[in-house]
Amino acid sequence: MTTPIELVVLDMAGTTVRDDGVVEQAFQRAAERTGVAARLPWEEALDHVRATMGQSKLDVFLHLADGDLAAAQRATAAFEDAYAEIVAEHGVTEIPGAADAIRSLKDAGLAVALTTGFAPVTRQALLDGLGWGDLVDVALSPVDAGRGRPAPDLVLTALLRCGASAVDAVAVVGDTVSDVQSGRRAGAGFVAGVLTGAHDRAALSGAGAHAVLADVTALRGALAQRDLLPTVSAR
């Protein structure tokens, strides 16, 4: 017997929020300002950033800084500043249909949480820019949970904050391998990748996604198809 989903945990950049290369642009500015990636060839550093999309930015910079925590913290602060600058310069937009998809999930009786590898200040800038302050039940950054992805902490913290009854009553959706790994490690009942962000179908499937969707707007249909919506909303 399948357990109906009670909580949907959605990633932000690349899943519900358009990225358009902003993460890479912010990384480049942070690297130029702090020299955090100077020990590596530029393309190698950039490849690491791409491969670790979705993870805590501090963890990413800690690798680039060869374990130097102070340097990683400086680079993370520079990254957050740079990201905020780019958002201020160009604005922020949702993945087409994302807000309506979230409302549809809530109309179906589900709680919705947003998670991100960004610091709270950047997360809040995105929410403010989109006007999403009241759209979701909770929004979480790694500092709110303990560890960032691919650890299960963000998913489990969302479960606790939203009062879901069990981990298999949680669905996790994201555009990166780290999102999928986090959901699987948490024991989520349904873990889906989306093709609107960093990683492709092969990578998401290889990480263990139960499904790979074109975008977040396909999520409610995927849950309904698998009889995972609450009974009252499935009628």
Side-chain angles (χ1 to χ4, degrees):
M1 181 176 178
T2 57
T3 301
I5 296 299
E6 301 169 14
L7 166 65
V8 177
V9 179
L10 301 172
D11 170 56
M12 292 185 71
T15 301
T16 54
V17 182
R18 289 185 64 167
D19 175 53
D20 293 332
V22 176
V23 169
E24 290 188 17
Q25 293 173 49
F27 165 67
Q28 183 167 359
R29 292 189 188 187
E32 290 170 351
R33 293 170 185 176
T34 66
V36 69
R39 72 182 185 87
L40 297 173
W42 175 250
E43 283 303 318
E44 184 177 335
L46 192 57
D47 284 346
H48 180 72
V49 170
R50 290 169 176 159
T52 56
M53 287 286 190
Q55 295 185 20
S56 164
K57 296 301 173 277
L58 179 61
D59 291 344
V60 175
F61 283 117
L62 194 60
H63 170 83
L64 295 175
D66 199 24
D68 185 334
L69 179 59
Q73 290 171 330
R74 288 193 297 272
T76 301
F79 172 88
E80 302 291 352
D81 288 345
Y83 197 98
E85 291 169 5
I86 296 167
V87 167
E89 290 164 8
H90 303 289
V92 58
T93 56
E94 65 174 72
I95 295 291
D100 286 341
I102 292 170
R103 293 187 189 99
S104 177
L105 293 168
K106 292 182 71 66
D107 288 345
L110 306 177
V112 178
L114 292 176
T115 61
T116 180
F118 296 140
V121 63
T122 304
R123 181 192 74 213
Q124 194 59 47
L126 292 174
L127 292 174
D128 290 345
L130 292 164
W132 283 7
D134 298 322
L135 184 63
V136 298
D137 295 275
V138 67
L140 300 170
S141 296
V143 70
D144 302 311
R147 296 171 295 176
R149 307 174 188 122
D153 301 33
L154 282 164
V155 176
L156 297 176
T157 300
L159 179 153
L160 293 171
R161 295 277 189 95
C162 295
S165 63
V167 288
D168 59 357
V170 178
V172 176
V173 183
D175 67 293
T176 70
V177 165
S178 294
D179 292 313
V180 173
Q181 291 174 332
S182 178
R184 291 302 303 261
R185 291 175 185 183
F190 181 70
V191 180
V194 290
L195 297 173
T196 48
H199 295 154
D200 62 16
R201 182 180 297 276
L204 296 167
S205 295
H210 297 123
V212 178
L213 310 175
D215 57 43
V216 71
T217 67
L219 176 60
R220 179 167 171 167
L223 293 175
Q225 186 178 36
R226 291 165 174 79
D227 294 323
L228 291 174
L229 289 179
T231 304
V232 65
S233 67
R235 290 174 180 169

